[in-house]
Amino acid sequence: MGKQTNINSDYREEERLTCVLVLDSFNSYINEIVSHTTLPLCLWPVDGQSLLDYTIHTLMRSGIQEIILLATSNSYEIRTYLMNSHWLKTYPKLIRLIPCKDARSLGDCLKDLEQENIINNHFLLIYGNGTLITNEKLNNLFNIHKENIKKDKNCIMTLVYRQLESNQFEHPSFTDDQHLYIIRDSNTHRLYDYSKEYLDTYEIPLDLLEKPNVTIETLYCPLDCHLAVCSTDVLHLFKDNFDFLTINEFVKGVLRDEEIAGHTIYSYLYETGYFLSVHNLRLYMKATFDILRRWSYPLVPEIIASMHKPLVSSTVTTPTSPQIKSNDSYTSFHNMSYPIVYDKHNIYKQGDIQLDRLSNIQKDVFIGNKSQILSGVCISSSLIGQNCIIGKNSRIENSIIWNHVQIGENCHIKNSIICDNVLIRNNVQINKECILCKGVIIGTNAQLKERITIIASNSITSTKPMDDVEIDEDIQLPPVDFKRSNSKQSRSSTRLSDKSLPSSIEETITSNIDLVGSDGLGKELIFSFLHEHQTKSFQATSDDDDDDDDEDDDNDEKLLNPFDAWGYRIENKDLSIDDNEDNNERPSKPFVKQPSIISDDDDDDDDDETSGTSGSSTATESHRTDDEGDVSEFQEEVIRTLERAYLQKLKKENIIVELNMLKPTYDVSPTEFDQSITRAVFLLPFEKKITNIEKPNYWNTLKLTMDQITQDILKNYMKTTNEEAQMTLLNELDLICLKFIQPIGERIVNILNYLYEKDVLVEEWILKWYKNKQEKIQKNELVIKPEEKIYYDKLKQFIEWLQNAESEDDDDDDED
Amino acid sequence: MARIPVDVEIEIDRFCNNVKQSTYTRSVDLALATILILKKLIGESKWSNASELITMIRSQAHRLNEGQPVDSITFNITRRILKIIREVSVRIIHGKNEGSDISLTLQAVLNDRATMLTMNDDEYENPDDNLQLKKKQQVQADLTESMPINSIESEVPMHILKPELMDDLNWYATDVELSVQNLAQQALAHIHANEIILTLGYSYTVERFFKYAAAKKRQFHVFILEHAPFFTGHKMAINLSQANIPVTVVTDSAVFAIMARVNKILIGTRSLLANGGLTAKSGTYNLALAAKNYNVPLLVCAPTYKFSPTYLPSFDPVMCNSFPSPENILSYESLFQSSLDIVVPMHDYVPPELVTLIIGSGMGNAPSYVYRIVSELYSAEDNDLERSQKKSSR
């Protein structure tokens, strides 16, 4: 012991090993959810302790002597937590909390840190959510960084990764937001390129291969530890460059300005050891289960368990001062210590629990103090907090249950997170990846579908200071949900009425019932922030009309939060629909009702074709979505192509070749292909870049595009000799017109006339098609809604004219 | 009531954290750190007499053991120190008579449940002192009957006890510090020329033992089982080969195959239970069974602080074990479903009948004699330290 302390003190004189934790994931989805749980993500319980505690243990093991916490909006909770924890008492100088209340990004936090002027040496930076769990000792990273500096004076940062095997996409600790592509020198590990792009759009800068004495090595999707060793210059750079908001931008920026500023970045790849940076909910669950399965040894519950207050159960008494009087506090906090007993099959029992003889605790289970498990309960791979009651014959799988939760009989809970004070009545079924926030009550026989976040309706006002949030967005959940349009619609109606705030409470109570049952309490969480971000992103995109700048592209992506709380990539359509509703008003309603047919235009993607980022996104989406999704993605792609063709005045031959290339990529049938082309042509004028912003006029814009390019495209694919193709074209046009009576349907005469004149359509097919349609109407297969009448009238008008023209044959076009 | 000042509290917490972070790689370090922390506790907290001190230390014992739920070294040290306090206080009361010290130890034994057995043992061991002893025992017995031990201790005030106690503790600390060295000095008695000796994994004590023999120009050959999946045997092999000892590394699974060639087995242990059984590195049970089959003697190096007065609560392998990361076996990178269970036990229980000899700091003992040593080392009242603490904390 004597030796030990001496070593430490020597070390201290030499330099203090510092670590900076940025305790915010800056993902608005997560922050929104977190605000309803009263605990910031870094304090969420993991096997008897908070995530932050595990991180601090990690750092202590590594011999870190100073931990600086940068807390954003959650700083009050973190401060309260620290006051109650034993760390401040045991190591008074170890932890320092710097609140950065206004910080909206990592960059802001680091700017605040720079102003504090307390960093004067290399430091470890843990970003992401600031919660890294590892059993490696990190102190040798400082040495590695110093080595790098010795070799290269310009080195300012060493990024740390953990190697994964080649099939990393299937690895459970890989989430979409960790997608990364790194090119580095295999000897020096110097970073040359760093990209979040997907492989099919990413191009290796070829000039790298020509560099002398450089052996290029690529790292594809290593496990991102969200860990970096930084020199002090990093802070200065963050301060000087306001556009560095994330590490991603920082690295890209530094690499881009390498010739000017001369800074370089290195990387280090761990090949062993457990690393998990918890920055979304999927990883939070993963961390919990990994710890239960002892991957993080020696950071395991029964060893970590210490005498400080268990976190969540503590009704936070306002802390008086960090220096708590020793004697009385000692007794109180020693009583709080619940030893954890480890049993075979990775079962952890904390303190006093009541386990029924007939209960079936399978494996990887943590049961908190004073919890009761009644007979017939089956639990596997789960965390049960303190003071929970699990009713008879319930099944709990892969779930995390916080403290003071009551679960009734015959419930079935899968892969979900259930926060404090939740009451679940009998026969409830909760499917994957649901989150029940604090105080929710789920009524009898309720069934929750996948990925729903439920909040107690009153908690919105009580816990979260709302800043003029307007709840009118329909889409708040990631794509899986998107397809269940039925349940969606029923809810969307209630939600739209939420706009009027005074009546919102009543509305929530009515909306409860179909979700949480008649005796339940709670409503689905609506991500209020989407609104804010949209306006921003809209401005951003409308500014950078045609430039191919990566930076701007990233900005958009970031603001729109491309990843949801579970770390899944959010498919662009969700957001695009919101954008439409907000920004172009016109085609809003039909979009919501029939999402699968309509093209999705998207601000985010506007300039992508040229810069290349979004092609990547579509690529991943195609992994996940089914055929239907493929088609709509394909159509999206067609629209992009046409748009580009129009804006850049490309030759039609090139475009046709390009479209032909797209066909096999998305695996669409010929009919689908034709349909998509048609739709794309007629929806193209809705694109923002093409629309004349001052006076949006559909017909004029359409005519412009038609004149320039699209008529040729139609001609090429819908040959007048091919009956089927012509019918497809007409049918699609019909559908689109019906959907958008307002701008398109009323102009049907002009459109058809135009197509007729340009020989895209021949009257033979038009008449035949019309005849078919009339027959259908007569047989009552088609019902004409009142608002559609105008369209049919116009159509009839045109047909009559056409028939006349046929008979007279010499008539001039006089319609326009 | 005894009071613990803040800085000692902090010191204890730090000690716990150090243990959790496995700062102490060798068990000696841990033992010394425990002594140091207890010295601090005794030296700096406020207590008025010995019994208060004892209650205080007992209340802290469980806390000190935090972070290493299955290791008994801190408990052993705490027990030993409690014993020293009791001894010192009795010595103060009954005069500074060394003789009374011994008899008191026996007195404690007498109070134990196995009274008769120990009596016989004692008589057998010290036939010379027999008469004198019996007299003293009688005196002591009278004394204890009239006055319970606790009250004896409560009479001892702090200002007299403290300096004496500190002396004893310092002496004890040096004793622990030198224990490995003392143990190693017996090497020549156990390692004979041209023997083939088998060991398992890395143990600091065993390494010193071998090196001592090698330094005295004894020629012998060491077989080392690599101790998968931790492979501490590799470190042992490198260290020994640097001392020019001929070394062969063998896989664990070959233990039975090579046993026929081996003259002797020498291993370290994590702790030594009162019945003479061991909790040692995983794979030791294999080794011991193979040794039994070939009648190869199994010698165990155990410094005094590893003697524990407890018994294995059950044969449940979980109770005396710890389970490190499965990464030792299966890489984290590889994919598998949660249906795959990985168990990595660190320790094995070896029953006493498989152990031939236990080499302590002083001399070799048979496993059946361990309970006797234990009862001399610790006072019987403290044997329930672990259990009582667990109960009270619930």
Side-chain angles (χ1 to χ4, degrees), chain A residues 625-790:
Chain A
T625 48
D626 48 16
D627 291 349
E628 190 187 60
D630 265 1
V631 175
S632 67
E633 273 159 32
F634 169 68
Q635 188 187 323
E636 172 86 357
E637 199 64 27
V638 173
I639 289 189
R640 296 285 150 252
T641 317
L642 292 181
E643 176 190 284
R644 190 155 42 89
Y646 173 71
L647 290 172
Q648 299 177 3
K649 304 192 168 43
L650 300 177
K651 280 189 183 163
K652 70 165 187 180
E653 289 83 10
N654 299 347
I655 294 303
I656 288 167
V657 169
E658 212 169 292
L659 289 174
N660 286 340
M661 296 278 281
L662 284 174
K663 201 153 92 174
T665 327
Y666 286 91
D667 192 25
V668 289
S669 70
T671 334
E672 281 169 347
F673 181 77
D674 289 351
Q675 283 171 350
S676 303
I677 296 281
T678 317
R679 263 182 255 146
V681 166
F682 289 100
L683 292 174
L684 188 61
F686 287 137
E687 291 303 306
K688 275 179 220 78
K689 282 190 190 163
I690 292 171
T691 318
N692 192 343
I693 293 168
E694 289 94 59
K695 38 174 188 174
N697 181 326
Y698 175 78
W699 168 238
N700 288 343
T701 339
L702 180 69
K703 198 157 171 243
L704 279 175
T705 56
M706 283 282 200
D707 281 340
Q708 198 195 342
I709 182 98
T710 49
Q711 57 158 312
D712 293 326
I713 304 287
L714 288 180
K715 264 185 212 167
N716 183 64
Y717 287 108
M718 280 49 128
K719 294 257 161 49
T720 46
T721 47
N722 183 348
E723 181 184 343
E724 207 182 321
Q726 291 269 307
M727 284 301 165
T728 319
L729 194 156
L730 283 164
N731 283 332
E732 273 309 310
L733 181 58
D734 184 44
L735 274 178
I736 290 170
C737 287
L738 286 176
K739 236 174 286 148
F740 302 101
I741 304 273
Q742 205 27 263
I744 306 180
E746 60 184 17
R747 289 294 189 160
I748 184 67
V749 182
N750 305 34
I751 294 168
L752 283 177
N753 189 35
Y754 180 89
L755 294 175
Y756 177 63
E757 262 176 30
K758 298 285 178 188
D759 291 332
V760 180
L761 289 168
V762 199
E763 66 182 70
E764 186 191 350
W765 305 128
I766 301 180
L767 293 175
K768 193 175 176 190
W769 169 74
Y770 188 70
K771 221 173 101 191
N772 287 344
K773 207 171 161 68
Q774 288 305 98
E775 277 168 17
K776 272 189 192 167
I777 291 171
Q778 274 157 21
K779 285 184 211 156
N780 279 337
E781 283 171 26
L782 262 178
V783 183
I784 302 175
K785 291 177 201 149
E787 69 268 21
E788 287 167 4
K789 200 158 177 293
I790 181 169

Side-chain angles (χ1 to χ4, degrees), chain B residues 80 162 177 210 225 279 288 303 384 390:
Chain B
R80 181 72 191 133
K162 210 170 184 177
E177 216 173 342
F210 282 138
L225 295 175
T279 53
D384 59 343
K390 264 180 192 165

Side-chain angles (χ1 to χ4, degrees), chain A residues 7-24:
Chain A
I7 288 166
N8 279 344
S9 58
D10 286 350
Y11 222 7
R12 210 159 281 172
E13 281 158 25
E14 197 178 290
E15 76 178 279
R16 280 170 76 85
L17 300 182
T18 311
C19 183
V20 177
L21 305 183
V22 183
L23 296 175
D24 196 331

